[in-house]
Amino acid sequence: MAQGAEKVRLSLQTENKGWKKWGPYLSERQWGTVREDYSGNGDAWNYITHEMALSKAYRWGEDGIGGFSDNKQHICLSFGFWNHKDKILKERIFGLTNRESNHGEDVKEMYYYLDSTPTHSYTKMLYKYPQQPFPYDNLRQENGRRGKQDPEYEIMDTGVFDNDEYFDIFIEHAKADEEDILMKVTVFNRGKEEAPITVLPQIMFRNTWSWGYEAFNYKPIMNGISNRLIEVTHRKHGKYNLYLDGADELLFCENETNFKKLYGTANNTAYPKDGINDYIVSGQKSNTVNPNNIGTKAAARFTKTIKGGESFTFRLRFVNHSISEPFGGFEDLFTKRIREADEFYDDLQRDVADADLRSIQRQSYAGMLWSKQFYYYNVYEWLKGDPAQPGPNQGRKWGRNSGWKHLYAANIISMPDKWEYPWFAAWDLAFHCVPLARVDADFAKRQLEILLREYYMHPNGQIPAYEWNFSDVNPPVHGWATWKVYEIDREQNNGVGDIEFLEKIFHKLLLNFTWWVNQKDDTGNNIFSGGFLGLDNIGVFDRSTPMPFGGKLQQADATGWMAMYTLNMLRISVEVALVHGVYQDMASKFFEHFLHIAGAMESIGGKNSSISLWDEEDQFYYDVIHIPNGQSILLKVRSIVGLIPLFAVEILDPQNLDKLPIFKRRVEWVLANRPDLARLISRWFESGKGENRLLSILRGHRMKMIMKRMLDESEFLSDYGVRALSKYHEENPYKFYINGEVLQVDYTPAEALTDIMGGNSNWRGPIWFPLNYLIFDSLMKFHSYYGEDFMIEYPTNSGNLTTIKDAALAIACRLIDIFKKDSEGKRAVYGHDEKMQKDPNFNDHVLFYEYFHGDNGRGCGASHQTGWTGLVAELIHKTAKEQFSAIEKEPLEVSK
């Protein structure tokens, strides 16, 4: 592979240092997070609101628009804007809280991540800022009037963009060196009339001095010189200069809370955090900025009136030494870094011919790289409070996350979405790492290692789920992601795999696997009950809470996930055993453990049991609820839960078995002496290679029946991927009768109509990328076993027969079609919004939503969740490499 400048930079530093020290590591919403919540009732959304964030110093991090910081977020750079009509500066992205919106928390702004290299040597984003007053009240009031049955009221619905009366603000960074960052803001007036704008490049120290810790018993300082330079001095980082090209004035205050405004008590400073805001919006009439030009927060004011259809560029440079001509060669450096970024992606996208697909893929990578965040949360300190601050409510000692006192997070972590989910989520992160491995394998590997470290993983082996409840349970996909990242890294490293990484992860995963076995298989029968498992409202009940009437739930998805996890561990142990033979014993352990889970799924109560997770009548997997009177009931909801057993598939290669004699003997012993287990292993003799063994929950008839239902367009298969709930339930809602009450599951292809798990995401019909990607990955494994001669019907009832591989690639193309322009130039993701469909200033930029409408592909939920929706980049890579990028546009080769 080509060794361009960006790849050389990547090779210089595997950690978040050197060229990666500075990056887009600020959150977009620090307010409304658990970390910042010191309330007595755990109401994080209201302890610090959007309006309060203007005036309150954060404890654990910073937020900002286009934010850049060092890797521990001591020095933070971001941008503020003012359209000369708003009552407050636009310093942070606005959105509604969980209670304010009819479908849960929701960002209400238009912004896009357009480009980034993995070292952030070049980055670009776009923020769209209305010229009319920002519609804060309108958004709150209209969303407050709407109910669950109504669509969300978005900023596009307010009309502020209808007449093009807005600014397109492009924010770009280009590094001249590891500690030399050039920044420019290019503002386009998209309207017809001239309009004023104030641009405020901001720099601040994260407040570390107010909490009373000896290690931070000093306050760093900034001071301004004329209107062109801010000198920055920090004990941990040394000295920096922020050069401003043509600023109107420099403004300074302190990054400290305005206690008088928020709480009616005395301030610690005459110039608190909101001082610059108050000075600007008052028309430079207030005395809220320090006339001595010193402080811990500063901004440069650039005010410009821009004619309609024209643009203006503002420039600055942040560097750790003095430069006599800081803006000499400025544009040349940007041109060079853009050229290097193009070179990097040209190599990565060498198999992708379609220009639109290249743009989609590059923007998805940009979103993932922009969504890195410095995540800081010391649970022990958070629970007990800070020495210089009032102690938190005593109930905190037994409340949220109180069992996680060991957790000390202070790392750059890939976030699901830096506004709606500005905290890590365990299973989200695992999926992020697959596409991230294509652009930066070292970063992806470190991400997988982070949550398994002793200061994250619980001493009992549980992986922390997410900050609202670390003790909740996410699906065990870390093992799967570890193997996928290893494969991608090996592919990019000329076939040489990082065995040390694999071995290190394996030991930590072994602890987590043991936790699952001990905690979630309480009857010891190899049937698991994980609870919530990230699927929110997928079932009849809220699975994160105890079942009604004392019932006990046994889950097809939890058991399927564990079967998959077992095979992931088997695959990893086999790979490591090829180098370190002692791991053959672990391979044998996971081989047999899988067989016991597979056998248990057939019959929960043993050979003579009358109840099973597999329903012979429907030919599908369901959850089972056991009630105290001894009755067991199948919960016949045709959901993604019944497809998850498909993910438990692995192939034993005879060539590897021959290299592992101890493991091979154990496999052959089981085949010869345990017919009850041997029947769970499919065997296929391939001439010249020997006998492959297929380990799968689904084999033969059951595999065909699951695929038949999954590929049925009247059930799971949508034009845009596989739905989370069968469309069958549109006409046939599932009903469960309990104590005179009816609990019902309907097909709801878009936003949730229930409040289960907050009601801000929905698994009752939409298309979700993570599980669709697992479907694709599993089908490709099945194909590698059965080969070209094994045909299935795709779609079901079409009469078209094709290979499993072609069906997998066809599903991938349906998912890609969510974002790809159709023959009319429209993108399904933008639904019926004419502005976003037809205006090139909108349509050429792509948003990567949390999930998608099950019938038309419209984006739903969080609008910047490039995290796991970034898997589309990997699907584009896979389909291009297989030369099937047009598989849905041209008829498949079929036989009837």
Side-chain angles (χ1 to χ4, degrees):
M1 300 176 74
Q3 278 292 107
E6 179 63 13
K7 286 195 173 183
V8 171
R9 286 190 284 266
L10 280 171
S11 69
L12 295 175
Q13 183 58 257
T14 59
E15 299 180 350
N16 294 312
K17 299 176 182 178
W19 278 89
K20 296 182 188 176
K21 176 183 175 181
W22 295 89
Y25 304 145
L26 266 66
S27 170
E28 278 162 2
R29 177 175 61 82
Q30 189 70 11
W31 62 273
T33 61
V34 167
R35 282 157 288 157
E36 301 295 344
D37 176 23
Y38 284 80
S39 68
N41 59 358
D43 185 1
W45 279 113
N46 288 307
Y47 182 72
I48 304 179
T49 64
H50 175 267
E51 281 68 27
M52 293 174 68
L54 173 71
S55 306
K56 186 171 179 62
Y58 295 128
R59 169 63 177 86
W60 297 99
E62 289 294 343
D63 56 20
I65 299 173
F68 238 61
S69 77
D70 64 273
N71 56 8
K72 294 300 179 184
Q73 209 175 90
H74 288 121
I75 304 174
C76 306
L77 299 134
S78 64
F79 295 91
F81 307 102
W82 189 49
N83 59 11
H84 293 236
K85 294 180 181 178
D86 284 343
K87 295 180 180 179
I88 60 172
L89 297 182
K90 178 58 66 176
E91 293 182 285
R92 56 188 50 81
I93 301 294
F94 171 73
L96 301 183
T97 70
N98 187 276
R99 294 177 184 174
E100 290 174 330
S101 179
N102 58 328
H103 291 290
E105 63 265 28
D106 189 29
V107 70
K108 299 298 184 184
E109 303 257 24
M110 293 303 300
Y111 58 103
Y112 308 84
Y113 305 119
L114 299 181
D115 209 356
S116 181
T117 58
T119 65
H120 312 295
S121 58
Y122 175 70
T123 69
K124 184 179 184 179
M125 73 165 287
L126 166 62
Y127 174 68
K128 290 180 177 286
Y129 187 31
Q131 292 170 7
Q132 297 301 316
F134 193 90
Y136 295 107
D137 293 338
N138 183 9
L139 286 163
R140 280 203 175 99
Q141 292 166 6
E142 182 57 32
N143 276 281
R145 281 193 288 267
R146 297 191 178 196
K148 289 288 184 186
Q149 302 291 334
D150 300 312
E152 294 175 346
Y153 184 65
E154 306 290 7
I155 190 170
M156 295 298 293
D157 300 320
T158 67
V160 293
F161 296 113
D162 286 354
N163 298 319
D164 293 331
E165 294 178 350
Y166 69 93
F167 297 107
D168 263 346
I169 303 174
F170 291 91
I171 300 169
E172 297 174 86
H173 303 82
K175 295 180 183 177
D177 208 336
E178 294 178 4
E179 301 272 8
D180 187 352
I181 305 167
L182 283 62
M183 292 165 273
K184 66 177 178 179
V185 178
T186 304
V187 181
F188 285 83
N189 180 354
R190 297 299 186 193
K192 297 178 181 179
E193 305 296 328
E194 66 177 25
I197 188 167
T198 293
V199 175
L200 295 150
Q202 298 184 337
I203 184 166
M204 70 191 79
F205 298 117
R206 176 167 58 85
N207 191 323
T208 56
W209 56 87
S210 294
W211 321 117
Y213 292 96
E214 187 174 344
F216 295 98
N217 62 358
Y218 70 98
K219 182 188 284 191
I221 192 168
M222 304 176 197
N223 63 283
I225 300 174
S226 70
N227 288 341
R228 63 183 299 270
L229 173 64
I230 297 174
E231 291 184 334
V232 180
T233 305
H234 193 287
R235 186 184 297 178
K236 285 186 174 293
H237 294 273
K239 293 186 177 182
Y240 289 86
N241 292 318
L242 178 62
Y243 293 99
L244 299 313
D245 187 14
D248 297 311
E249 62 181 325
L250 303 184
L251 308 170
F252 289 79
C253 63
E254 303 293 338
N255 189 15
E256 297 191 29
T257 298
N258 188 333
F259 291 100
K260 183 177 181 180
K261 180 186 290 186
L262 295 180
Y263 309 114
T265 58
N267 281 329
N268 296 329
T269 173
Y271 312 106
K273 179 181 177 179
D274 51 15
I276 295 171
N277 172 88
D278 293 353
Y279 176 80
I280 294 292
V281 298
S282 70
Q284 294 88 50
K285 295 177 182 177
S286 70
N287 58 352
T288 55
V289 293
N290 193 326
N292 295 317
N293 276 7
I294 59 172
T296 51
K297 177 181 177 181
R301 180 178 68 83
F302 296 85
T303 296
K304 186 77 175 177
T305 297
I306 303 176
K307 293 181 179 179
E310 296 188 2
S311 67
F312 191 84
T313 298
F314 306 88
R315 306 190 302 177
L316 52 156
R317 185 170 188 170
F318 182 71
V319 59
N320 66 345
H321 57 269
S322 297
I323 303 176
S324 58
E325 296 292 337
F327 299 101
F330 190 90
E331 291 301 329
D332 290 340
L333 191 281
F334 267 92
T335 299
K336 181 180 181 181
R337 292 293 179 255
I338 292 169
R339 184 176 64 248
E340 291 168 354
D342 290 342
E343 178 184 55
F344 178 81
Y345 283 108
D346 283 347
D347 179 51
L348 188 68
Q349 298 179 312
R350 58 190 176 276
D351 295 321
V352 183
D354 184 280
D356 190 33
L357 289 181
R358 290 170 68 90
S359 176
I360 294 164
Q361 188 183 49
R362 187 158 170 175
Q363 288 185 62
S364 70
Y365 285 134
M368 300 200 76
L369 294 168
W370 268 93
S371 293
K372 296 178 183 180
Q373 180 185 319
F374 174 69
Y375 183 82
Y376 182 35
Y377 188 16
N378 181 332
V379 175
Y380 177 73
E381 288 184 354
W382 180 78
L383 289 170
K384 71 180 180 66
D386 298 314
Q389 300 295 315
N393 184 280
Q394 288 298 302
R396 172 168 293 213
K397 295 179 180 179
W398 302 277
R400 177 180 288 141
N401 295 332
S402 57
W404 292 79
K405 296 181 180 68
H406 70 285
L407 195 146
Y408 186 159
N411 298 94
I412 304 298
I413 301 182
S414 174
M415 295 294 146
D417 176 317
K418 290 205 293 188
W419 194 93
E420 299 211 22
Y421 301 97
W423 26 259
F424 71 82
W427 78 310
D428 295 62
L429 184 61
F431 289 111
H432 300 183
C433 290
V434 176
L436 279 170
R438 287 280 168 209
V439 292
D440 188 352
D442 287 319
F443 179 74
K445 287 187 283 186
R446 285 178 62 81
Q447 291 297 286
L448 290 171
E449 292 174 10
I450 282 175
L451 296 194
L452 301 177
R453 291 175 180 170
E454 60 276 10
Y455 43 90
Y456 281 82
M457 179 187 279
H458 199 280
N460 66 16
Q462 185 177 9
I463 294 175
Y466 51 93
E467 76 172 28
W468 287 90
N469 184 1
F470 286 135
S471 295
D472 225 330
V473 183
N474 279 176
V477 292
H478 238 69
W480 172 84
T482 296
W483 180 253
K484 300 307 294 184
V485 168
Y486 173 81
E487 281 189 312
I488 293 170
D489 184 41
R490 182 177 61 185
E491 173 191 331
Q492 296 179 328
N493 197 32
N494 300 314
V496 179
D498 188 348
I499 291 293
E500 183 179 342
F501 157 74
L502 213 54
E503 189 176 8
K504 182 193 297 185
I505 290 280
F506 178 83
H507 286 287
K508 293 296 186 73
L509 289 176
L510 191 58
L511 297 174
N512 178 246
F513 185 90
T514 304
W515 176 85
W516 271 91
V517 171
N518 290 337
Q519 298 295 321
K520 297 302 177 181
D521 176 20
D522 54 3
T523 60
N525 63 4
N526 293 298
I527 296 294
F528 294 82
S529 53
F532 160 53
L533 284 179
L535 304 185
D536 290 22
N537 62 347
I538 192 72
V540 181
F541 316 107
D542 181 348
R543 303 192 306 172
S544 66
T545 61
M547 293 297 102
F549 54 80
K552 179 175 177 56
L553 190 67
Q554 292 183 310
Q555 296 173 227
D557 58 332
T559 309
W561 286 122
M562 279 304 290
M564 174 182 127
Y565 195 2
T566 307
L567 291 180
N568 301 148
M569 295 294 278
L570 169 60
R571 188 68 192 85
I572 293 170
S573 56
V574 165
E575 186 77 3
V576 178
L578 293 172
V579 178
H580 306 297
V582 68
Y583 282 82
Q584 292 180 78
D585 285 343
M586 297 308 300
S588 298
K589 176 261 187 295
F590 286 108
F591 171 70
E592 293 198 36
H593 204 133
F594 167 76
L595 295 179
H596 288 299
I597 293 175
M601 283 199 75
E602 292 200 28
S603 181
I604 289 176
K607 184 176 180 181
N608 299 316
S609 175
S610 61
I611 192 73
S612 168
L613 296 177
W614 175 262
D615 182 54
E616 199 62 42
E617 179 182 358
D618 285 0
Q619 300 287 294
F620 201 67
Y621 283 105
Y622 296 117
D623 287 348
V624 174
I625 190 166
H626 303 280
I627 55 180
N629 67 6
Q631 185 181 5
S632 297
I633 303 169
L634 279 171
L635 300 174
K636 292 193 174 186
V637 182
R638 296 183 190 175
S639 76
I640 201 83
V641 164
L643 301 183
I644 286 172
L646 182 76
F647 306 157
V649 54
E650 194 54 72
I651 300 158
L652 296 181
D653 186 334
Q655 294 174 320
N656 280 342
L657 282 176
D658 289 341
K659 298 174 184 176
L660 304 172
I662 297 172
F663 178 52
K664 183 179 181 181
R665 282 199 302 271
R666 188 59 186 166
V667 171
E668 291 176 343
W669 187 94
V670 169
L671 292 173
N673 294 280
R674 289 292 303 271
D676 58 321
L677 299 180
R679 67 185 175 81
L680 301 172
I681 306 170
S682 297
R683 303 161 72 184
W684 185 278
F685 185 81
E686 192 171 352
S687 179
K689 292 187 176 180
E691 195 169 42
N692 286 297
R693 273 86 173 200
L694 175 72
L695 300 179
S696 174
I697 292 291
L698 300 174
R699 300 166 313 284
H701 173 71
R702 289 190 182 180
M703 180 193 72
K704 291 177 182 176
M705 296 310 296
I706 287 290
M707 287 189 184
K708 179 179 179 180
R709 195 178 294 280
M710 182 179 72
L711 301 177
D712 189 337
E713 291 178 312
S714 68
E715 290 220 38
F716 285 99
L717 186 62
S718 160
D719 288 343
Y720 300 98
V722 177
R723 303 176 175 102
L725 188 78
S726 171
K727 196 173 173 67
Y728 165 82
H729 290 302
E730 185 173 38
E731 301 294 332
N732 304 277
Y734 177 77
K735 298 180 180 181
F736 186 83
Y737 298 90
I738 174 175
N739 299 330
E741 183 182 357
V742 180
L743 301 179
Q744 185 165 309
V745 176
D746 297 274
Y747 174 72
T748 52
E751 288 81 10
L753 301 183
T754 72
D755 286 320
I756 293 178
M757 293 301 295
N760 60 339
S761 64
N762 180 31
W763 288 83
R764 296 184 176 182
I767 296 150
W768 290 78
F769 258 79
L771 297 195
N772 269 267
Y773 188 85
L774 284 170
I775 289 169
F776 169 82
D777 188 53
S778 300
L779 291 180
M780 295 297 277
K781 287 183 181 179
F782 277 113
H783 172 79
S784 68
Y785 176 76
Y786 287 111
E788 297 291 326
D789 295 330
F790 189 94
M791 310 295 282
I792 61 173
E793 190 177 28
Y794 175 85
T796 300
N797 299 323
S798 68
N800 296 333
L801 299 181
T802 187
T803 65
I804 298 176
K805 176 181 177 180
D806 283 355
L809 290 165
I811 291 172
C813 287
R814 291 184 182 223
L815 291 158
I816 293 167
D817 280 348
I818 290 172
F819 305 102
K820 195 175 187 298
K821 288 182 179 179
D822 63 16
S823 59
E824 298 179 356
K826 295 183 177 181
R827 303 185 193 275
V829 63
Y830 291 146
H832 299 297
D833 191 303
E834 288 298 305
K835 185 77 170 175
M836 297 181 77
Q837 292 290 15
K838 294 182 178 180
D839 189 331
N841 290 320
F842 285 83
N843 182 255
D844 287 340
H845 310 308
V846 181
L847 293 175
F848 299 88
Y849 285 81
E850 184 179 5
Y851 56 98
F852 303 88
H853 193 293
D855 295 333
N856 60 39
R858 173 178 62 82
C860 303
S863 55
H864 294 77
Q865 196 154 349
T866 323
W868 61 20
T869 301
L871 286 161
V872 70
E874 188 66 6
L875 291 175
I876 291 171
H877 175 86
K878 294 285 190 183
T879 53
K881 197 155 189 175
E882 294 287 347
Q883 298 182 344
F884 280 104
S885 57
I887 196 168
E888 289 281 289
K889 306 303 180 185
E890 298 176 9
L892 292 165
E893 286 189 24
V894 297
S895 53
K896 297 186 179 180

